[in-house]
Amino acid sequence: MSRAILAVNSGSSSIKFALYRLVQRELGEVILSGLAEGLEPGGQPRATLRYNGEQYALTLLAEPVTGDAFHAMLTLLREQIGLHSDGAQIVAVAHRVVHGGERCADSVVVDETMLTYLRSLHHLAPLHQPHNLDGVDAFRAAFPDCLHVACFDTGFHAQMPEQEYRFALPAELSQQGIRRYGFHGLSYRYVASHLAQVSARAGQRVIMAHLGNGASLCAMRQGVSIATTMGFSALDGLMMGSRCGALDPGVLLHLLQDGWDAKRIESTLYKQSGLLGVSGVSADMRSLRASSDPRAALAIRMFAYRILRECGALTAVLGGIDAIAFTGGIGEHDVQLRADVISGLHYLGLRLDPAANQAADGNAICAIHSTDSSAEIWVIPTDEGRIAAQDAARLLAGV
């Protein structure tokens, strides 16, 4: 019987998953992948599955959720794996976990002691960490005989220099773990490894742009993260789908003095700001592109401007730029945004090939720079699940 590793990303109302064949100690092709959504109370659970090169839509329950839709989804997922896994036995489950804190730079095998530590980090990523770990609990119950591995978004940035990760705060606060951590690490690991396969400049001065509902930039030299736009939390840096990005802390003091409590501030900064807050239309870039509302156009301009502004800062830290790689839902698919960002970097000698940029559709790695560009420009579709599954395979081999 062949073996397989299941990679999962559990959110508050969704599960993203992919089943990878394990050939000896190496990952093979994707057997089955998909996305389940609508798992929140009152939602309409639905799933999209992909196998044998085809995509299928499934309705999980006929009625809106009144019970535990997450477990209902797990039941259906196990059925689908049984139907479409070609008899492969799942031997490990790799879980994307946003925050590893100061203790976890590398992926780890999950046990109760580790879960207790990871739950202590809920306050560092309140929109992600609790749901990630609820997913770990559910999958451990559903697949009790498998090795379960936690793979961290913060790990890629663990080698950042102290002047990057320290805040200008009293030392006792730094000692409590209040520092810059950085996120999107699984995505950056994937992009970095694949850039190294196609570009001789991958070890030089590189900016990676993970642009989606969550968005950040990472400056990399010799394959190592030296600076990133996200910090203590996943709120910092770029403007995002519904998150504010960098914000003067004086704004928070003002809101507190105006009677706002922590919950209201948290909800506003995480769920009601960013593209959604500015546009009043949507957090989805595709909807904003289609809208005639001038607020939508403003939100798009602000999003591109913040990317350009932070690219300038990271270029200064790197001492120049030899390559830039776009990834994430927006980075891979939004032709105009890539053009706007590169146009803003024209003064550095970056030149886009318009036809190559137009042809890049997020389905394959594409070089989109012109022959006279001072830096290479790439679109690299990310696969965080594969990175997580690779770590699980490595730990499985060591058990």
Side-chain angles (χ1 to χ4, degrees), residues 40-77:
E40 70 278 4
Q44 178 63 66
R46 58 197 181 278
T48 302
L49 301 180
R50 189 170 193 86
Y51 53 90
N52 293 333
E54 299 292 335
Q55 189 162 293
Y56 304 86
L58 296 175
T59 299
L60 306 188
L61 298 173
E63 301 296 332
V65 177
T66 56
D68 192 336
F70 200 101
H71 283 83
M73 174 59 215
L74 277 176
T75 299
L76 181 133
L77 176 57

PDB file of all heavy atoms in Angstrom, residues 40-77:
ATOM      1  N   GLU A  40     -18.835  28.195   9.427  1.00  0.00           N
ATOM      2  CA  GLU A  40     -19.213  28.983  10.592  1.00  0.00           C
ATOM      3  C   GLU A  40     -20.669  28.695  10.975  1.00  0.00           C
ATOM      4  O   GLU A  40     -21.460  28.234  10.133  1.00  0.00           O
ATOM      5  CB  GLU A  40     -19.040  30.477  10.317  1.00  0.00           C
ATOM      6  CG  GLU A  40     -20.041  31.081   9.326  1.00  0.00           C
ATOM      7  CD  GLU A  40     -19.672  30.850   7.877  1.00  0.00           C
ATOM      8  OE1 GLU A  40     -18.673  30.150   7.606  1.00  0.00           O
ATOM      9  OE2 GLU A  40     -20.396  31.362   6.995  1.00  0.00           O
ATOM     10  N   PRO A  41     -21.065  28.940  12.236  1.00  0.00           N
ATOM     11  CA  PRO A  41     -22.462  28.737  12.635  1.00  0.00           C
ATOM     12  C   PRO A  41     -23.410  29.507  11.721  1.00  0.00           C
ATOM     13  O   PRO A  41     -23.222  30.688  11.457  1.00  0.00           O
ATOM     14  CB  PRO A  41     -22.501  29.275  14.068  1.00  0.00           C
ATOM     15  CG  PRO A  41     -21.096  29.110  14.563  1.00  0.00           C
ATOM     16  CD  PRO A  41     -20.230  29.364  13.366  1.00  0.00           C
ATOM     17  N   GLY A  42     -24.418  28.824  11.205  1.00  0.00           N
ATOM     18  CA  GLY A  42     -25.376  29.437  10.293  1.00  0.00           C
ATOM     19  C   GLY A  42     -24.927  29.461   8.857  1.00  0.00           C
ATOM     20  O   GLY A  42     -25.681  29.862   7.971  1.00  0.00           O
ATOM     21  N   GLY A  43     -23.690  29.032   8.583  1.00  0.00           N
ATOM     22  CA  GLY A  43     -23.176  29.017   7.223  1.00  0.00           C
ATOM     23  C   GLY A  43     -23.704  27.842   6.429  1.00  0.00           C
ATOM     24  O   GLY A  43     -24.313  26.924   6.964  1.00  0.00           O
ATOM     25  N   GLN A  44     -23.465  27.889   5.128  1.00  0.00           N
ATOM     26  CA  GLN A  44     -23.832  26.781   4.247  1.00  0.00           C
ATOM     27  C   GLN A  44     -22.558  26.065   3.818  1.00  0.00           C
ATOM     28  O   GLN A  44     -21.837  26.545   2.948  1.00  0.00           O
ATOM     29  CB  GLN A  44     -24.582  27.295   3.014  1.00  0.00           C
ATOM     30  CG  GLN A  44     -24.963  26.203   2.033  1.00  0.00           C
ATOM     31  CD  GLN A  44     -25.926  25.182   2.639  1.00  0.00           C
ATOM     32  OE1 GLN A  44     -27.064  25.506   2.963  1.00  0.00           O
ATOM     33  NE2 GLN A  44     -25.475  23.944   2.792  1.00  0.00           N
ATOM     34  N   PRO A  45     -22.258  24.932   4.454  1.00  0.00           N
ATOM     35  CA  PRO A  45     -21.002  24.242   4.129  1.00  0.00           C
ATOM     36  C   PRO A  45     -20.955  23.817   2.667  1.00  0.00           C
ATOM     37  O   PRO A  45     -21.936  23.339   2.097  1.00  0.00           O
ATOM     38  CB  PRO A  45     -21.022  23.020   5.058  1.00  0.00           C
ATOM     39  CG  PRO A  45     -21.965  23.388   6.154  1.00  0.00           C
ATOM     40  CD  PRO A  45     -23.006  24.255   5.513  1.00  0.00           C
ATOM     41  N   ARG A  46     -19.814  24.007   2.065  1.00  0.00           N
ATOM     42  CA  ARG A  46     -19.598  23.620   0.674  1.00  0.00           C
ATOM     43  C   ARG A  46     -18.114  23.323   0.492  1.00  0.00           C
ATOM     44  O   ARG A  46     -17.275  23.792   1.266  1.00  0.00           O
ATOM     45  CB  ARG A  46     -20.032  24.734  -0.279  1.00  0.00           C
ATOM     46  CG  ARG A  46     -19.306  26.045  -0.034  1.00  0.00           C
ATOM     47  CD  ARG A  46     -19.992  27.235  -0.672  1.00  0.00           C
ATOM     48  NE  ARG A  46     -19.252  28.477  -0.437  1.00  0.00           N
ATOM     49  CZ  ARG A  46     -19.341  29.184   0.682  1.00  0.00           C
ATOM     50  NH1 ARG A  46     -20.129  28.796   1.669  1.00  0.00           N
ATOM     51  NH2 ARG A  46     -18.648  30.301   0.818  1.00  0.00           N
ATOM     52  N   ALA A  47     -17.821  22.558  -0.504  1.00  0.00           N
ATOM     53  CA  ALA A  47     -16.414  22.217  -0.740  1.00  0.00           C
ATOM     54  C   ALA A  47     -16.144  22.145  -2.220  1.00  0.00           C
ATOM     55  O   ALA A  47     -17.012  21.783  -3.016  1.00  0.00           O
ATOM     56  CB  ALA A  47     -16.073  20.884  -0.072  1.00  0.00           C
ATOM     57  N   THR A  48     -14.935  22.481  -2.581  1.00  0.00           N
ATOM     58  CA  THR A  48     -14.437  22.289  -3.931  1.00  0.00           C
ATOM     59  C   THR A  48     -13.285  21.303  -3.851  1.00  0.00           C
ATOM     60  O   THR A  48     -12.330  21.515  -3.092  1.00  0.00           O
ATOM     61  CB  THR A  48     -13.947  23.608  -4.541  1.00  0.00           C
ATOM     62  OG1 THR A  48     -15.016  24.551  -4.538  1.00  0.00           O
ATOM     63  CG2 THR A  48     -13.468  23.397  -5.961  1.00  0.00           C
ATOM     64  N   LEU A  49     -13.375  20.211  -4.585  1.00  0.00           N
ATOM     65  CA  LEU A  49     -12.335  19.198  -4.606  1.00  0.00           C
ATOM     66  C   LEU A  49     -11.686  19.158  -5.980  1.00  0.00           C
ATOM     67  O   LEU A  49     -12.350  19.414  -6.990  1.00  0.00           O
ATOM     68  CB  LEU A  49     -12.911  17.812  -4.289  1.00  0.00           C
ATOM     69  CG  LEU A  49     -13.623  17.630  -2.945  1.00  0.00           C
ATOM     70  CD1 LEU A  49     -14.123  16.205  -2.827  1.00  0.00           C
ATOM     71  CD2 LEU A  49     -12.702  17.976  -1.800  1.00  0.00           C
ATOM     72  N   ARG A  50     -10.403  18.829  -5.997  1.00  0.00           N
ATOM     73  CA  ARG A  50      -9.699  18.705  -7.273  1.00  0.00           C
ATOM     74  C   ARG A  50      -8.905  17.402  -7.278  1.00  0.00           C
ATOM     75  O   ARG A  50      -8.094  17.157  -6.386  1.00  0.00           O
ATOM     76  CB  ARG A  50      -8.760  19.891  -7.483  1.00  0.00           C
ATOM     77  CG  ARG A  50      -8.172  19.940  -8.888  1.00  0.00           C
ATOM     78  CD  ARG A  50      -7.439  21.249  -9.160  1.00  0.00           C
ATOM     79  NE  ARG A  50      -7.154  21.407 -10.579  1.00  0.00           N
ATOM     80  CZ  ARG A  50      -7.975  21.918 -11.473  1.00  0.00           C
ATOM     81  NH1 ARG A  50      -9.163  22.347 -11.097  1.00  0.00           N
ATOM     82  NH2 ARG A  50      -7.645  22.004 -12.745  1.00  0.00           N
ATOM     83  N   TYR A  51      -9.174  16.570  -8.266  1.00  0.00           N
ATOM     84  CA  TYR A  51      -8.413  15.332  -8.438  1.00  0.00           C
ATOM     85  C   TYR A  51      -8.500  14.924  -9.901  1.00  0.00           C
ATOM     86  O   TYR A  51      -9.427  15.285 -10.625  1.00  0.00           O
ATOM     87  CB  TYR A  51      -8.915  14.205  -7.521  1.00  0.00           C
ATOM     88  CG  TYR A  51     -10.393  13.919  -7.594  1.00  0.00           C
ATOM     89  CD1 TYR A  51     -10.907  12.985  -8.486  1.00  0.00           C
ATOM     90  CD2 TYR A  51     -11.292  14.580  -6.751  1.00  0.00           C
ATOM     91  CE1 TYR A  51     -12.261  12.722  -8.547  1.00  0.00           C
ATOM     92  CE2 TYR A  51     -12.650  14.323  -6.809  1.00  0.00           C
ATOM     93  CZ  TYR A  51     -13.127  13.388  -7.699  1.00  0.00           C
ATOM     94  OH  TYR A  51     -14.477  13.133  -7.770  1.00  0.00           O
ATOM     95  N   ASN A  52      -7.459  14.209 -10.357  1.00  0.00           N
ATOM     96  CA  ASN A  52      -7.357  13.799 -11.758  1.00  0.00           C
ATOM     97  C   ASN A  52      -7.495  14.981 -12.714  1.00  0.00           C
ATOM     98  O   ASN A  52      -8.049  14.859 -13.812  1.00  0.00           O
ATOM     99  CB  ASN A  52      -8.407  12.744 -12.099  1.00  0.00           C
ATOM    100  CG  ASN A  52      -8.156  11.428 -11.387  1.00  0.00           C
ATOM    101  OD1 ASN A  52      -7.014  11.104 -11.063  1.00  0.00           O
ATOM    102  ND2 ASN A  52      -9.214  10.687 -11.121  1.00  0.00           N
ATOM    103  N   GLY A  53      -7.013  16.150 -12.282  1.00  0.00           N
ATOM    104  CA  GLY A  53      -7.044  17.326 -13.138  1.00  0.00           C
ATOM    105  C   GLY A  53      -8.401  17.971 -13.291  1.00  0.00           C
ATOM    106  O   GLY A  53      -8.561  18.918 -14.056  1.00  0.00           O
ATOM    107  N   GLU A  54      -9.404  17.497 -12.562  1.00  0.00           N
ATOM    108  CA  GLU A  54     -10.754  18.055 -12.662  1.00  0.00           C
ATOM    109  C   GLU A  54     -11.180  18.649 -11.323  1.00  0.00           C
ATOM    110  O   GLU A  54     -10.694  18.246 -10.258  1.00  0.00           O
ATOM    111  CB  GLU A  54     -11.753  16.964 -13.079  1.00  0.00           C
ATOM    112  CG  GLU A  54     -11.455  16.339 -14.427  1.00  0.00           C
ATOM    113  CD  GLU A  54     -11.649  17.298 -15.585  1.00  0.00           C
ATOM    114  OE1 GLU A  54     -12.430  18.252 -15.427  1.00  0.00           O
ATOM    115  OE2 GLU A  54     -11.008  17.096 -16.627  1.00  0.00           O
ATOM    116  N   GLN A  55     -12.098  19.587 -11.383  1.00  0.00           N
ATOM    117  CA  GLN A  55     -12.596  20.254 -10.187  1.00  0.00           C
ATOM    118  C   GLN A  55     -14.064  19.923  -9.992  1.00  0.00           C
ATOM    119  O   GLN A  55     -14.844  19.917 -10.938  1.00  0.00           O
ATOM    120  CB  GLN A  55     -12.406  21.771 -10.314  1.00  0.00           C
ATOM    121  CG  GLN A  55     -12.702  22.542  -9.045  1.00  0.00           C
ATOM    122  CD  GLN A  55     -12.099  23.933  -9.086  1.00  0.00           C
ATOM    123  OE1 GLN A  55     -10.891  24.113  -9.088  1.00  0.00           O
ATOM    124  NE2 GLN A  55     -12.958  24.933  -9.132  1.00  0.00           N
ATOM    125  N   TYR A  56     -14.443  19.654  -8.740  1.00  0.00           N
ATOM    126  CA  TYR A  56     -15.808  19.248  -8.415  1.00  0.00           C
ATOM    127  C   TYR A  56     -16.310  20.062  -7.235  1.00  0.00           C
ATOM    128  O   TYR A  56     -15.576  20.321  -6.280  1.00  0.00           O
ATOM    129  CB  TYR A  56     -15.857  17.754  -8.059  1.00  0.00           C
ATOM    130  CG  TYR A  56     -15.308  16.853  -9.132  1.00  0.00           C
ATOM    131  CD1 TYR A  56     -13.950  16.569  -9.199  1.00  0.00           C
ATOM    132  CD2 TYR A  56     -16.144  16.299 -10.095  1.00  0.00           C
ATOM    133  CE1 TYR A  56     -13.435  15.752 -10.193  1.00  0.00           C
ATOM    134  CE2 TYR A  56     -15.637  15.481 -11.096  1.00  0.00           C
ATOM    135  CZ  TYR A  56     -14.280  15.209 -11.137  1.00  0.00           C
ATOM    136  OH  TYR A  56     -13.784  14.399 -12.125  1.00  0.00           O
ATOM    137  N   ALA A  57     -17.577  20.454  -7.290  1.00  0.00           N
ATOM    138  CA  ALA A  57     -18.212  21.170  -6.192  1.00  0.00           C
ATOM    139  C   ALA A  57     -19.127  20.216  -5.436  1.00  0.00           C
ATOM    140  O   ALA A  57     -19.864  19.431  -6.046  1.00  0.00           O
ATOM    141  CB  ALA A  57     -19.012  22.365  -6.713  1.00  0.00           C
ATOM    142  N   LEU A  58     -19.088  20.303  -4.112  1.00  0.00           N
ATOM    143  CA  LEU A  58     -19.915  19.442  -3.282  1.00  0.00           C
ATOM    144  C   LEU A  58     -20.672  20.289  -2.274  1.00  0.00           C
ATOM    145  O   LEU A  58     -20.138  21.254  -1.731  1.00  0.00           O
ATOM    146  CB  LEU A  58     -19.055  18.428  -2.513  1.00  0.00           C
ATOM    147  CG  LEU A  58     -18.268  17.398  -3.321  1.00  0.00           C
ATOM    148  CD1 LEU A  58     -17.406  16.590  -2.371  1.00  0.00           C
ATOM    149  CD2 LEU A  58     -19.208  16.483  -4.081  1.00  0.00           C
ATOM    150  N   THR A  59     -21.913  19.932  -1.999  1.00  0.00           N
ATOM    151  CA  THR A  59     -22.657  20.508  -0.891  1.00  0.00           C
ATOM    152  C   THR A  59     -22.556  19.533   0.274  1.00  0.00           C
ATOM    153  O   THR A  59     -22.942  18.369   0.150  1.00  0.00           O
ATOM    154  CB  THR A  59     -24.130  20.739  -1.248  1.00  0.00           C
ATOM    155  OG1 THR A  59     -24.193  21.656  -2.345  1.00  0.00           O
ATOM    156  CG2 THR A  59     -24.887  21.324  -0.065  1.00  0.00           C
ATOM    157  N   LEU A  60     -22.035  20.012   1.389  1.00  0.00           N
ATOM    158  CA  LEU A  60     -21.781  19.106   2.507  1.00  0.00           C
ATOM    159  C   LEU A  60     -23.047  18.789   3.286  1.00  0.00           C
ATOM    160  O   LEU A  60     -23.277  17.665   3.699  1.00  0.00           O
ATOM    161  CB  LEU A  60     -20.750  19.717   3.450  1.00  0.00           C
ATOM    162  CG  LEU A  60     -19.434  20.153   2.808  1.00  0.00           C
ATOM    163  CD1 LEU A  60     -18.446  20.558   3.887  1.00  0.00           C
ATOM    164  CD2 LEU A  60     -18.847  19.022   1.980  1.00  0.00           C
ATOM    165  N   LEU A  61     -23.847  19.814   3.515  1.00  0.00           N
ATOM    166  CA  LEU A  61     -25.089  19.644   4.265  1.00  0.00           C
ATOM    167  C   LEU A  61     -26.193  20.398   3.529  1.00  0.00           C
ATOM    168  O   LEU A  61     -25.952  21.444   2.929  1.00  0.00           O
ATOM    169  CB  LEU A  61     -24.947  20.189   5.685  1.00  0.00           C
ATOM    170  CG  LEU A  61     -23.889  19.520   6.572  1.00  0.00           C
ATOM    171  CD1 LEU A  61     -23.741  20.284   7.881  1.00  0.00           C
ATOM    172  CD2 LEU A  61     -24.258  18.075   6.855  1.00  0.00           C
ATOM    173  N   ALA A  62     -27.380  19.889   3.594  1.00  0.00           N
ATOM    174  CA  ALA A  62     -28.481  20.516   2.864  1.00  0.00           C
ATOM    175  C   ALA A  62     -28.966  21.790   3.543  1.00  0.00           C
ATOM    176  O   ALA A  62     -29.530  22.669   2.904  1.00  0.00           O
ATOM    177  CB  ALA A  62     -29.643  19.529   2.734  1.00  0.00           C
ATOM    178  N   GLU A  63     -28.758  21.880   4.856  1.00  0.00           N
ATOM    179  CA  GLU A  63     -29.265  23.017   5.614  1.00  0.00           C
ATOM    180  C   GLU A  63     -28.096  23.812   6.212  1.00  0.00           C
ATOM    181  O   GLU A  63     -26.988  23.289   6.367  1.00  0.00           O
ATOM    182  CB  GLU A  63     -30.182  22.535   6.751  1.00  0.00           C
ATOM    183  CG  GLU A  63     -31.373  21.727   6.272  1.00  0.00           C
ATOM    184  CD  GLU A  63     -32.324  22.546   5.418  1.00  0.00           C
ATOM    185  OE1 GLU A  63     -32.373  23.778   5.622  1.00  0.00           O
ATOM    186  OE2 GLU A  63     -33.009  21.972   4.567  1.00  0.00           O
ATOM    187  N   PRO A  64     -28.330  25.082   6.563  1.00  0.00           N
ATOM    188  CA  PRO A  64     -27.286  25.843   7.244  1.00  0.00           C
ATOM    189  C   PRO A  64     -26.836  25.147   8.526  1.00  0.00           C
ATOM    190  O   PRO A  64     -27.575  24.362   9.119  1.00  0.00           O
ATOM    191  CB  PRO A  64     -27.973  27.187   7.551  1.00  0.00           C
ATOM    192  CG  PRO A  64     -29.028  27.305   6.506  1.00  0.00           C
ATOM    193  CD  PRO A  64     -29.512  25.906   6.277  1.00  0.00           C
ATOM    194  N   VAL A  65     -25.631  25.474   8.950  1.00  0.00           N
ATOM    195  CA  VAL A  65     -25.038  24.783  10.088  1.00  0.00           C
ATOM    196  C   VAL A  65     -25.776  25.088  11.376  1.00  0.00           C
ATOM    197  O   VAL A  65     -26.016  26.237  11.713  1.00  0.00           O
ATOM    198  CB  VAL A  65     -23.559  25.211  10.242  1.00  0.00           C
ATOM    199  CG1 VAL A  65     -22.954  24.543  11.471  1.00  0.00           C
ATOM    200  CG2 VAL A  65     -22.788  24.855   9.011  1.00  0.00           C
ATOM    201  N   THR A  66     -26.139  24.057  12.093  1.00  0.00           N
ATOM    202  CA  THR A  66     -26.673  24.225  13.443  1.00  0.00           C
ATOM    203  C   THR A  66     -25.812  23.487  14.453  1.00  0.00           C
ATOM    204  O   THR A  66     -25.843  23.761  15.634  1.00  0.00           O
ATOM    205  CB  THR A  66     -28.128  23.700  13.534  1.00  0.00           C
ATOM    206  OG1 THR A  66     -28.146  22.327  13.100  1.00  0.00           O
ATOM    207  CG2 THR A  66     -29.043  24.525  12.661  1.00  0.00           C
ATOM    208  N   GLY A  67     -25.029  22.520  13.996  1.00  0.00           N
ATOM    209  CA  GLY A  67     -24.149  21.763  14.876  1.00  0.00           C
ATOM    210  C   GLY A  67     -22.706  22.030  14.549  1.00  0.00           C
ATOM    211  O   GLY A  67     -22.325  23.141  14.210  1.00  0.00           O
ATOM    212  N   ASP A  68     -21.880  20.990  14.623  1.00  0.00           N
ATOM    213  CA  ASP A  68     -20.450  21.129  14.403  1.00  0.00           C
ATOM    214  C   ASP A  68     -20.130  20.836  12.944  1.00  0.00           C
ATOM    215  O   ASP A  68     -19.906  19.690  12.553  1.00  0.00           O
ATOM    216  CB  ASP A  68     -19.692  20.170  15.328  1.00  0.00           C
ATOM    217  CG  ASP A  68     -18.200  20.482  15.360  1.00  0.00           C
ATOM    218  OD1 ASP A  68     -17.712  21.085  14.384  1.00  0.00           O
ATOM    219  OD2 ASP A  68     -17.543  20.137  16.348  1.00  0.00           O
ATOM    220  N   ALA A  69     -20.090  21.882  12.127  1.00  0.00           N
ATOM    221  CA  ALA A  69     -19.850  21.708  10.693  1.00  0.00           C
ATOM    222  C   ALA A  69     -18.421  21.258  10.423  1.00  0.00           C
ATOM    223  O   ALA A  69     -18.157  20.591   9.429  1.00  0.00           O
ATOM    224  CB  ALA A  69     -20.140  23.011   9.958  1.00  0.00           C
ATOM    225  N   PHE A  70     -17.493  21.641  11.301  1.00  0.00           N
ATOM    226  CA  PHE A  70     -16.105  21.255  11.099  1.00  0.00           C
ATOM    227  C   PHE A  70     -15.983  19.733  11.103  1.00  0.00           C
ATOM    228  O   PHE A  70     -15.335  19.140  10.234  1.00  0.00           O
ATOM    229  CB  PHE A  70     -15.234  21.864  12.196  1.00  0.00           C
ATOM    230  CG  PHE A  70     -13.770  21.937  11.836  1.00  0.00           C
ATOM    231  CD1 PHE A  70     -13.209  23.127  11.411  1.00  0.00           C
ATOM    232  CD2 PHE A  70     -12.954  20.827  11.930  1.00  0.00           C
ATOM    233  CE1 PHE A  70     -11.872  23.210  11.077  1.00  0.00           C
ATOM    234  CE2 PHE A  70     -11.611  20.889  11.602  1.00  0.00           C
ATOM    235  CZ  PHE A  70     -11.070  22.093  11.174  1.00  0.00           C
ATOM    236  N   HIS A  71     -16.630  19.088  12.063  1.00  0.00           N
ATOM    237  CA  HIS A  71     -16.576  17.632  12.122  1.00  0.00           C
ATOM    238  C   HIS A  71     -17.359  16.991  10.980  1.00  0.00           C
ATOM    239  O   HIS A  71     -16.977  15.928  10.480  1.00  0.00           O
ATOM    240  CB  HIS A  71     -17.076  17.131  13.484  1.00  0.00           C
ATOM    241  CG  HIS A  71     -16.061  17.296  14.573  1.00  0.00           C
ATOM    242  ND1 HIS A  71     -15.887  18.480  15.256  1.00  0.00           N
ATOM    243  CD2 HIS A  71     -15.135  16.432  15.056  1.00  0.00           C
ATOM    244  CE1 HIS A  71     -14.910  18.338  16.141  1.00  0.00           C
ATOM    245  NE2 HIS A  71     -14.437  17.108  16.039  1.00  0.00           N
ATOM    246  N   ALA A  72     -18.436  17.654  10.551  1.00  0.00           N
ATOM    247  CA  ALA A  72     -19.159  17.157   9.380  1.00  0.00           C
ATOM    248  C   ALA A  72     -18.257  17.193   8.153  1.00  0.00           C
ATOM    249  O   ALA A  72     -18.256  16.274   7.322  1.00  0.00           O
ATOM    250  CB  ALA A  72     -20.415  18.006   9.143  1.00  0.00           C
ATOM    251  N   MET A  73     -17.456  18.264   8.033  1.00  0.00           N
ATOM    252  CA  MET A  73     -16.527  18.375   6.928  1.00  0.00           C
ATOM    253  C   MET A  73     -15.454  17.297   7.003  1.00  0.00           C
ATOM    254  O   MET A  73     -15.082  16.691   5.992  1.00  0.00           O
ATOM    255  CB  MET A  73     -15.879  19.767   6.948  1.00  0.00           C
ATOM    256  CG  MET A  73     -14.775  19.933   5.917  1.00  0.00           C
ATOM    257  SD  MET A  73     -15.338  19.661   4.235  1.00  0.00           S
ATOM    258  CE  MET A  73     -13.891  18.896   3.531  1.00  0.00           C
ATOM    259  N   LEU A  74     -14.970  17.018   8.199  1.00  0.00           N
ATOM    260  CA  LEU A  74     -13.964  15.984   8.354  1.00  0.00           C
ATOM    261  C   LEU A  74     -14.499  14.615   7.933  1.00  0.00           C
ATOM    262  O   LEU A  74     -13.784  13.819   7.314  1.00  0.00           O
ATOM    263  CB  LEU A  74     -13.492  15.920   9.811  1.00  0.00           C
ATOM    264  CG  LEU A  74     -12.423  16.925  10.215  1.00  0.00           C
ATOM    265  CD1 LEU A  74     -12.119  16.806  11.692  1.00  0.00           C
ATOM    266  CD2 LEU A  74     -11.168  16.719   9.410  1.00  0.00           C
ATOM    267  N   THR A  75     -15.739  14.350   8.265  1.00  0.00           N
ATOM    268  CA  THR A  75     -16.355  13.076   7.865  1.00  0.00           C
ATOM    269  C   THR A  75     -16.395  12.955   6.348  1.00  0.00           C
ATOM    270  O   THR A  75     -16.027  11.924   5.766  1.00  0.00           O
ATOM    271  CB  THR A  75     -17.779  12.966   8.435  1.00  0.00           C
ATOM    272  OG1 THR A  75     -17.706  13.016   9.867  1.00  0.00           O
ATOM    273  CG2 THR A  75     -18.438  11.663   8.001  1.00  0.00           C
ATOM    274  N   LEU A  76     -16.823  14.040   5.680  1.00  0.00           N
ATOM    275  CA  LEU A  76     -16.885  14.007   4.221  1.00  0.00           C
ATOM    276  C   LEU A  76     -15.488  13.920   3.616  1.00  0.00           C
ATOM    277  O   LEU A  76     -15.269  13.210   2.640  1.00  0.00           O
ATOM    278  CB  LEU A  76     -17.604  15.248   3.703  1.00  0.00           C
ATOM    279  CG  LEU A  76     -17.740  15.281   2.173  1.00  0.00           C
ATOM    280  CD1 LEU A  76     -19.151  15.655   1.757  1.00  0.00           C
ATOM    281  CD2 LEU A  76     -16.744  16.260   1.563  1.00  0.00           C
ATOM    282  N   LEU A  77     -14.534  14.622   4.219  1.00  0.00           N
ATOM    283  CA  LEU A  77     -13.177  14.600   3.704  1.00  0.00           C
ATOM    284  C   LEU A  77     -12.603  13.184   3.766  1.00  0.00           C
ATOM    285  O   LEU A  77     -11.979  12.714   2.808  1.00  0.00           O
ATOM    286  CB  LEU A  77     -12.300  15.561   4.505  1.00  0.00           C
ATOM    287  CG  LEU A  77     -10.806  15.598   4.155  1.00  0.00           C
ATOM    288  CD1 LEU A  77     -10.597  15.928   2.682  1.00  0.00           C
ATOM    289  CD2 LEU A  77     -10.086  16.621   5.035  1.00  0.00           C
TER     290      LEU A  77
END
